[in-house]
Amino acid sequence: MRILDIIDKKKKGLELSKEEIKYFVDEYTNGNIPDYQASALIMAMFINKMTPEETANLTLSMAYSGKVLDLSDIEGIKVDKHSTGGVGDKVSLVVAPIVASCKIPVAKMSGRGLGFTGGTIDKLESIEGFKTNMTIDEFKSHVRDHGIVVCGQTDALAPADKKIYALRDVTSTVDNISLIAASIMSKKIASGADAIVLDIKVGSGAFMKTIEDAEILAKTMVDIGRNLNKRTICIISGMDEPLGFGIGNIIEVREAIEVLKGNGPKDLLEVCLTISSIMVYLGKKANSIDDAREIVLKSINDGSAYRKFREWIECQGGDLSIIDNISEYKKASRINTFVAKEDGYIGSINAQEIGKIAMLLGAGRETKESVIDSSVGLIFEKKVSDYVKVGDVICQIHHNGYKDINMIIEQLDKNINISKQKQTKGELIYRIIK
Ligand code: URA
């Protein structure tokens, strides 16, 4: 087989065979296909789209590009969770310890920031010492001993996704249903989950811009899960404005801790409760999602979710004195504010553009090599449908002497709209698809 022929075939919109897809995935993972040819093929897949058959074959080739974990020696139903990515989406930081505190083992592989969205691994690594890179034995022993582990993409598990993910990030090939489905499901298969909950974000700050596309993605992933005997439930949740108030790595860790302590923003709390409840239900600790919600609420209210969070941070090498003083940890040196220029209601906050502004401040990567500044980002004081008067602070800009703060303020002005009429917020949870 020759990669050039495979690129040519996909360029013409023809369906690739299982063998051709496997050849590409294996040879790219092994370093025998250069980035420029892989980029050309991925762009052809992006533009000409893939059939369900091709998507399933891509998922399996990526999942089996490394080891596929067998966690059957660890007691309990292992339930994993993944989001398609959003702005201010720190749900995994909250949900993982909640679910683990309900005695359901959580063994999760997460990604770094992708495009304008932040990544769980970048957020966790903003805690000094926290280790996301580990061997399979370490991964398994964390689940066995603590019931919780979150690792980064490794060369051992789904290494193809690690390479393809990084390439898609810098070649504008992220927002494609088949590529997202294969990326997410390959990781879930490789990390040994028995059941999977997927949070498909839809709206201006998500890769899926319409409910119709989100539903196709949900159906694609539920079908892949079903064919592999892994119960998979998708929620479709709104991402028209950033989730919660904070965007930026340590800023989001702080907010996640607030939720675990029972004080978080309402929208973020609701998404976390919905996802945790489905995970607890799939983990067979409740007979219905409603019953599971009671268990989840109890774990927050009696402090067990937060205690599990501390145990998790400590077992992966994080320093607990940081967690105990998180409000003072890694504060950016400067705070500017973006204020209302007129009276009215916040009509919209363009989440995608807000994600890009946070990235400009240093919270995300512009190239594969960019280094993240985990202290910077944005903290909203007002959200869609809130009333503001001239001079009220809408958003704080946390930075370390950014060179052109006026440009940041101009960008915020362009992407936050104030209207005379009170706006109703978009839906938070649109659908649950089983
Ligand atoms: N999250 C992933 O892991 N992969 C994608 O392609 C998009 C979001």
Side-chain angles (χ1 to χ4, degrees), residues 309-344:
F309 175 81
R310 294 181 93 253
E311 180 184 344
W312 168 37
I313 298 301
E314 191 174 35
C315 83
Q316 286 193 225
D319 181 348
L320 283 185
S321 67
I322 290 174
I323 300 302
D324 295 337
N325 293 293
I326 195 79
S327 57
E328 294 307 312
Y329 179 64
K330 279 199 184 167
K331 283 171 103 169
S333 61
R334 311 266 286 272
I335 302 178
N336 284 68
T337 53
F338 171 69
V339 298
K341 288 200 193 123
E342 54 184 311
D343 294 356

Side-chain angles (χ1 to χ4, degrees), residues 141-356:
S141 73
H142 284 313
V143 204
R144 197 174 293 111
D145 299 344
H146 302 279
I148 184 166
V149 65
V150 176
C151 74
Q153 289 177 284
T154 68
D155 290 332
L157 303 177
D161 181 56
K162 184 179 179 186
K163 285 193 82 172
I164 294 174
Y165 191 93
L167 199 61
R168 285 169 58 220
D169 192 24
V170 291
T171 54
S172 190
T173 48
V174 173
D175 47 338
N176 171 276
I177 289 172
S178 297
L179 295 175
I180 293 177
S183 163
I184 292 180
M185 292 306 279
S186 63
K187 283 193 280 277
K188 303 298 100 178
I189 297 165
S191 51
D194 300 312
I196 301 161
V197 181
L198 299 165
D199 181 9
I200 300 183
K201 302 280 183 207
V202 65
S204 72
F207 297 124
M208 296 295 105
K209 303 291 185 209
T210 65
I211 300 275
E212 291 71 28
D213 278 351
E215 279 181 332
I216 298 172
L217 178 58
K219 200 179 161 315
T220 306
M221 295 200 282
V222 168
D223 283 350
I224 293 172
R226 186 181 302 118
N227 287 335
L228 295 164
N229 262 332
K230 291 180 191 291
R231 283 192 72 190
T232 303
I233 297 184
C234 293
I235 74 160
I236 298 184
S237 67
M239 186 33 81
D240 273 322
E241 63 176 330
L243 191 60
F245 295 118
I247 301 131
N249 296 284
I250 200 69
I251 291 173
E252 295 193 40
V253 173
R254 277 189 209 121
E255 194 166 82
I257 290 176
E258 286 306 307
V259 181
L260 287 164
K261 288 181 167 177
N263 308 320
K266 267 208 316 241
D267 59 347
L268 174 62
L269 174 66
E270 185 50 37
V271 176
C272 292
L273 290 177
T274 305
I275 294 175
S276 309
S277 308
I278 300 174
M279 292 175 78
V280 168
Y281 165 69
L282 283 178
K284 298 217 162 96
K285 297 286 180 193
N287 291 327
S288 68
I289 297 177
D290 286 344
D291 288 354
R293 193 174 167 109
E294 296 303 313
I295 298 175
V296 164
L297 280 169
K298 183 168 173 291
S299 84
I300 297 176
N301 294 335
D302 69 12
S304 47
Y306 182 57
R307 279 195 297 280
K308 183 53 84 172
F309 175 81
R310 294 181 93 253
E311 180 184 344
W312 168 37
I313 298 301
E314 191 174 35
C315 83
Q316 286 193 225
D319 181 348
L320 283 185
S321 67
I322 290 174
I323 300 302
D324 295 337
N325 293 293
I326 195 79
S327 57
E328 294 307 312
Y329 179 64
K330 279 199 184 167
K331 283 171 103 169
S333 61
R334 311 266 286 272
I335 302 178
N336 284 68
T337 53
F338 171 69
V339 298
K341 288 200 193 123
E342 54 184 311
D343 294 356
Y345 295 92
I346 307 273
S348 63
I349 300 175
N350 183 325
Q352 173 163 328
E353 295 308 312
I354 297 298
K356 288 186 191 163

Side-chain angles (χ1 to χ4, degrees), residues 85-121:
V87 177
D89 179 0
K90 65 282 289 173
V91 171
S92 292
L93 303 183
V94 182
V95 155
I98 290 180
V99 173
S101 75
C102 299
K103 309 271 181 285
I104 295 161
V106 176
K108 177 165 168 49
M109 195 198 313
S110 285
R112 296 189 179 279
L114 193 62
F116 54 86
T117 67
T120 302
I121 292 302

